Amino acid sequence: MTKHKKEHRYIPFGIKIMLTYSLFIMVPVILIGYAANVIFTSSIQERTREINLGTLAQMKDNIMYKMEDVSRISGMLYFDSNLASYLRHYEEGWVSYEATTKQLLPKMQTTVEAASNKMRLAVYLHNNTLPEIYHNYNNTDPLNAEGPLFDLYHISRIKDRSWYIDYPVERYGETMQWKQVEGDTKFGHISLLRRLVNMNDPITLEEIGFVRISLRLTDLLESVDSEKIGQGTKIFALNENGRIMFSSGDTHFKIGESLSEAEMANYWAVEEKIPQLNWKLLALVPTDIMEKATDKVKLWTFLICLACFVVFSLAGLYISRFYSRKVIKIVRVLDAFQEGNFKKKIHFKGKDEFTRISFALNDMGHNIDGLIQEVYMTNMKKKEAELESLQAQINPHFLYNTLSSISRLAKFGQVDKLQRMVLDLAKFYRLSLNEGRTVIPIRNELEQINAYINIQKTKFEDGMQIWFDIDPDILRFTTVKLILQPFIENALEHAWYGAQINIRIVGKMEGDLITFQVIDDGVGINPEILRQMSDPIERVNVGYGVRNVDERIKLHFGAEYGVRIVSKRGMGTSITITIPARKKDIEPERPI
C-alpha cells in the first residue's frame, strides 16, 4: 500500500502570481487603458459606419447569391437542348404522353429539387399537343400546397397578361426578369420570369415556352436582419417606387407604404442597391447608437488591457523567468512519456506544487511502465494460445477422415494400400507436429502436402490429378504450418464434378509477399455460401477450414494478410493465400 505523505504548508502558486500582479501592474494598466480609450473613442463613429455598410453589403450579397441560384436553376430548362427538341414535337397520342412523362415532368421535378429554398415552377408551353398538368389552388398560397411544386400550362393562359406582353426582347442566355406578377403581392412572393427558346435556332430565338419560378420574399430576404447591425436599427427593402416590400426591426410600417422625412429624422441612413431587382436596402440606425458603441469601447478597452497586462509587465517577465525552468522540465518528462519512455524521472527542491507534481509524475511513469509490460506479456500469451488452439482444431478433422479410409481398406483386405496409407499418415503427422513449432519452412509445408496427397491418391487413385507450380525462391522463407492442406481436402470432398478432379498448387513471389493458390476445376461454391464466408458474422457457421486458416495467418502475421476466394459455379474455385516473405527465423523448440 502507498503511504500518504505529510502535506506541507506553502503559499499557493496562484496567490504568488496575484500578489505580483497587484504590486507591479496596476499603474501600467491604468495608463494603457486611458490612452487606448481616448484613441478608440475618437474613431468610433467612422468605424461604426464602415461596419454597418459592410453588414448591409453582406446582406445584399446573400440576396444576390440566392437570386443567382434561382437563375442557375432556370438555366437547367433554358439551356437543355433535348428538352427544347421535345417541346417542338407536335405529335399527339403516345409521342405526346411519352414526351410529357419521361422527359418534361422528370426535368421539372429535378429542377425544383435542385433549389436550396422552397419554390414553385410554372412552365407555359406553345405546344398544345402536350397536356396541361397543374393544381387547383383555390385562391390559396401555392407554396403551401401539398404535392409536386410544379405546374404545366399552355401559353394561352398568359398571352393577354401585361407582364407577358411587356416582357423584354430576348438576348440569348441573358434575358430574365424579377417581378411580382399574378398573386405574388397577395402572398408575399416574387417571381423570376424567363423564356424558353429553340436552341436549334440561335439566330431567331423562337419562343417555345415561358418559365415562372416563384419563391417567398421572406426566403429571398431572410438575411436582412436588423439585429446584425444593432439594437433599435430598422432595415427596409424598398422597390423602385420607394415603397416598402420587406422590413426588419421594431417597425409599424406595412407592406406598400412609403417612408417620410419626418420618420427618418432621428436616424442616420445607410443604403445598398440590389441591381437585378431595382430595389435597395435601407438601414436606419439610431443616432444614440454611437453613445452605446462608445460605452462598449470603454468596456472592451478595460477588458483587453486587463487581459494583456501580464505580457507588458515586469512582474510577468520575472515570473516567467522564475518558473519557466520548472515548467520546461515537466514538459520534457511529458514528452518522454508521450514517446513511450516512462523511465525518465524529475526532481524538484522545495515544498510547493512543482515538487508534488514531480512525485506524481515519477510514480505515474513507474506504474504505467509496469502496466504496459504486464499487458504486453498477457497479449503475447493470449495470441500464442489462440494460434495453438486454431492449429489443434485442424488435425482431428483430417485424422478422422483418414482413419475412416483406413477402416474401409482393412475391411476389403487391401493390405498394400493400407500399408502405404499408414506410412504416409505417419509421415504427415511427423511433419505436422514439427517438434511443436507453429512456423515452419515452406519446404516442410510442401513435403507435408505431398504426404497428404499420397494418402488421397491411395483413396481416389486416378480420379484425382495434382500439379505443382512452385517458385524455388520461396523455399528459403517460412510460413504458418498447415495452410494448404485444408483447401486441398475441401476440394477433394466437395468439388467433384463427375469422376475426375484436377487441382493445381501454385507458389510464387510478388514483391515482399508470397502467394499460394489452390485451383480446382470442380463444381464451384454456391454464391450464397460464398457470400456467407465473406461476412464477418455469418462466416461463423460456414467455411470452417477457410476461417481457421485465415484467422491463424492474421493472428501471426497481421490483419493485412490472409485468404481470398474466387469461385464460379460449374467452372471451379481459386483459393489465394497471402503471407509476408520472412526468412527462416524459426521459433525455438518447445516440448511436444
Side-chain angles (χ1 to χ4, degrees):
M1 296 179 60
T2 304
K3 295 182 179 180
H4 294 284
K5 297 180 180 179
K6 183 179 178 180
E7 293 187 3
H8 300 280
R9 296 184 177 273
Y10 51 83
I11 300 175
F13 181 69
I15 294 179
K16 294 176 183 177
I17 295 178
M18 292 299 297
L19 290 174
T20 306
Y21 290 170
S22 300
L23 291 174
F24 295 100
I25 301 179
M26 186 176 295
V27 174
V29 165
I30 293 174
L31 294 176
I32 293 173
Y34 176 78
N37 182 67
V38 172
I39 295 172
F40 289 149
T41 302
S42 63
S43 62
I44 187 62
Q45 286 190 340
E46 184 62 27
R47 180 61 178 165
T48 302
R49 183 176 182 84
E50 291 176 359
I51 292 174
N52 292 339
L53 284 171
T55 303
L56 210 61
Q58 289 179 355
M59 295 179 186
K60 182 205 72 172
D61 291 342
N62 188 276
I63 295 171
M64 296 291 290
Y65 173 81
K66 292 188 176 182
M67 295 173 66
E68 290 171 1
D69 184 59
V70 177
S71 300
R72 176 186 61 80
I73 291 170
S74 69
M76 295 172 63
L77 300 175
Y78 185 93
F79 295 107
D80 193 334
S81 58
N82 291 331
L83 178 64
S85 298
Y86 275 99
L87 295 181
R88 296 182 67 253
H89 282 294
Y90 287 83
E91 298 181 45
E92 297 183 349
W94 173 254
V95 175
S96 173
Y97 172 80
E98 186 176 34
T100 303
T101 59
K102 292 187 177 181
Q103 295 294 326
L104 186 54
L105 295 182
K107 184 65 178 180
M108 293 173 68
Q109 179 68 33
T110 302
T111 303
V112 170
E113 292 175 350
S116 56
N117 289 100
K118 189 174 183 180
M119 70 175 202
R120 180 165 290 277
L121 171 65
V123 178
Y124 301 87
L125 304 177
H126 286 270
N127 189 346
N128 292 327
T129 64
L130 299 173
E132 288 187 323
I133 301 174
Y134 60 90
H135 303 77
N136 186 3
Y137 301 112
N138 295 322
N139 203 30
T140 60
D141 188 350
L143 286 172
N144 291 333
E146 298 182 355
L149 296 173
F150 55 85
D151 298 303
L152 190 62
Y153 302 102
H154 290 154
I155 199 70
S156 58
R157 291 182 177 270
I158 62 171
K159 65 180 182 180
D160 297 325
R161 306 294 170 88
S162 60
W163 56 269
Y164 174 71
I165 296 172
D166 298 334
Y167 192 80
V169 177
E170 184 68 18
R171 296 179 61 185
Y172 179 73
E174 298 179 4
T175 303
M176 61 186 75
Q177 189 178 63
W178 287 89
K179 197 170 186 179
Q180 287 187 311
V181 298
E182 303 297 333
D184 286 347
T185 303
K186 176 180 179 181
F187 299 117
H189 297 172
I190 190 167
S191 297
L192 173 66
L193 308 176
R194 192 170 192 178
R195 288 191 181 94
L196 293 179
V197 298
N198 181 9
M199 298 290 293
N200 297 322
D201 189 4
I203 297 177
T204 62
L205 296 177
E206 173 193 5
E207 180 180 308
I208 59 176
F210 203 88
V211 173
R212 174 188 172 195
I213 300 177
S214 303
L215 69 158
R216 293 187 178 93
L217 271 173
T218 53
D219 290 339
L220 181 63
L221 303 175
E222 67 177 346
S223 63
V224 179
D225 185 2
S226 62
E227 294 296 326
K228 295 179 179 179
I229 293 182
Q231 188 176 6
T233 301
K234 303 174 183 179
I235 302 181
F236 301 92
L238 306 178
N239 66 7
E240 63 273 12
N241 299 320
R243 298 192 177 276
I244 298 172
M245 305 305 296
F246 179 86
S247 64
S248 174
D250 186 15
T251 67
H252 61 277
F253 298 96
K254 297 181 180 179
I255 302 300
E257 294 183 347
S258 300
L259 294 172
S260 65
E261 293 183 1
E263 292 168 333
M264 300 172 59
N266 295 325
Y267 300 87
W268 58 280
V270 180
E271 65 180 48
E272 188 75 34
K273 293 184 179 180
I274 309 175
Q276 290 187 3
L277 284 174
N278 199 20
W279 292 6
K280 68 179 179 179
L281 294 177
L282 176 66
L284 300 181
V285 184
T287 54
D288 61 351
I289 199 171
M290 295 301 177
E291 297 177 0
K292 295 180 180 179
T294 302
D295 292 337
K296 286 185 177 180
V297 167
K298 291 179 180 179
L299 176 61
W300 278 105
T301 302
F302 172 77
L303 293 176
I304 291 172
C305 291
L306 187 63
C308 295
F309 70 97
V310 176
V311 178
F312 299 102
S313 65
L314 294 175
L317 292 174
Y318 169 78
I319 293 172
S320 65
R321 285 180 180 178
F322 184 80
Y323 290 105
S324 61
R325 296 178 182 177
K326 294 186 176 183
V327 173
I328 290 172
K329 288 183 179 180
I330 293 174
V331 171
R332 286 175 180 172
V333 171
L334 293 175
D335 289 340
F337 286 0
Q338 190 174 15
E339 294 172 359
N341 179 13
F342 295 98
K343 299 185 181 299
K344 193 173 182 63
K345 303 296 182 182
I346 182 173
H347 299 283
F348 288 137
K349 297 180 180 180
K351 299 178 180 179
D352 58 7
E353 292 92 340
F354 286 102
T355 304
R356 297 189 64 185
I357 290 172
S358 67
F359 287 140
L361 285 176
N362 293 339
D363 290 343
M364 182 179 68
H366 177 74
N367 294 334
I368 291 177
D369 188 59
L371 287 173
I372 288 176
Q373 294 297 325
E374 182 179 346
V375 171
Y376 175 77
M377 294 304 298
T378 301
N379 287 339
M380 289 296 292
K381 291 178 180 179
K382 181 180 177 182
K383 184 174 180 180
E384 183 177 355
E386 289 176 351
L387 279 169
E388 291 178 351
S389 175
L390 289 170
Q391 174 64 43
Q393 292 172 9
I394 290 184
N395 288 340
H397 177 71
F398 162 66
L399 180 60
Y400 172 79
N401 290 338
T402 305
L403 290 177
S404 296
S405 299
I406 291 173
S407 176
R408 286 195 297 271
L409 292 174
K411 181 178 179 180
F412 292 103
Q414 297 178 339
V415 178
D416 293 338
K417 292 183 178 181
L418 175 61
Q419 182 182 13
R420 287 197 304 271
M421 183 172 286
V422 170
L423 291 175
D424 288 330
L425 179 62
K427 182 179 179 181
F428 176 84
Y429 270 97
R430 176 177 60 80
L431 293 169
S432 177
L433 293 174
N434 197 45
E435 298 179 340
R437 293 170 178 162
T438 301
V439 178
I440 63 174
I442 291 177
R443 184 186 303 276
N444 290 5
E445 176 73 7
L446 295 175
E447 289 178 4
Q448 189 180 47
I449 291 303
N450 274 319
Y452 173 76
I453 290 172
N454 290 336
I455 294 172
Q456 299 304 328
K457 283 184 176 179
T458 304
K459 178 179 176 181
F460 295 106
E461 297 180 344
D462 295 333
M464 58 175 280
Q465 295 293 329
I466 307 291
W467 286 271
F468 284 90
D469 184 4
I470 305 298
D471 184 353
D473 287 342
I474 70 173
L475 299 180
R476 54 196 176 95
F477 296 103
T478 59
T479 178
V480 177
K481 65 182 177 181
L482 280 175
I483 62 172
L484 296 175
Q485 180 268 336
F487 298 109
I488 300 173
E489 184 175 1
N490 280 346
L492 293 176
E493 286 195 14
H494 305 293
W496 287 87
Y497 191 60
Q500 180 78 25
I501 185 168
N502 298 294
I503 300 175
R504 184 176 175 217
I505 302 170
V506 180
K508 57 185 176 180
M509 293 285 298
E510 292 185 356
D512 294 333
L513 302 177
I514 295 175
T515 59
F516 292 101
Q517 286 183 292
V518 179
I519 308 168
D520 66 68
D521 60 354
V523 295
I525 303 175
N526 185 289
E528 177 61 19
I529 295 178
L530 193 61
R531 184 193 65 78
Q532 293 177 2
M533 292 170 68
S534 62
D535 189 284
I537 298 176
E538 297 187 34
R539 69 182 293 185
V540 175
N541 300 317
V542 297
Y544 167 78
V546 176
R547 185 176 74 255
N548 186 293
V549 174
D550 187 58
E551 290 178 355
R552 287 193 295 121
I553 292 174
K554 283 179 166 57
L555 276 171
H556 191 84
F557 295 118
E560 63 269 32
Y561 307 102
V563 179
R564 181 169 55 89
I565 304 175
V566 177
S567 183
K568 190 169 184 180
R569 298 291 286 176
M571 295 183 65
T573 301
S574 175
I575 307 291
T576 302
I577 304 168
T578 304
I579 62 173
R582 293 186 180 177
K583 296 289 186 178
K584 295 182 181 180
D585 50 349
I586 307 298
E587 58 198 51
E589 295 184 4
R590 295 176 298 177
I592 299 176

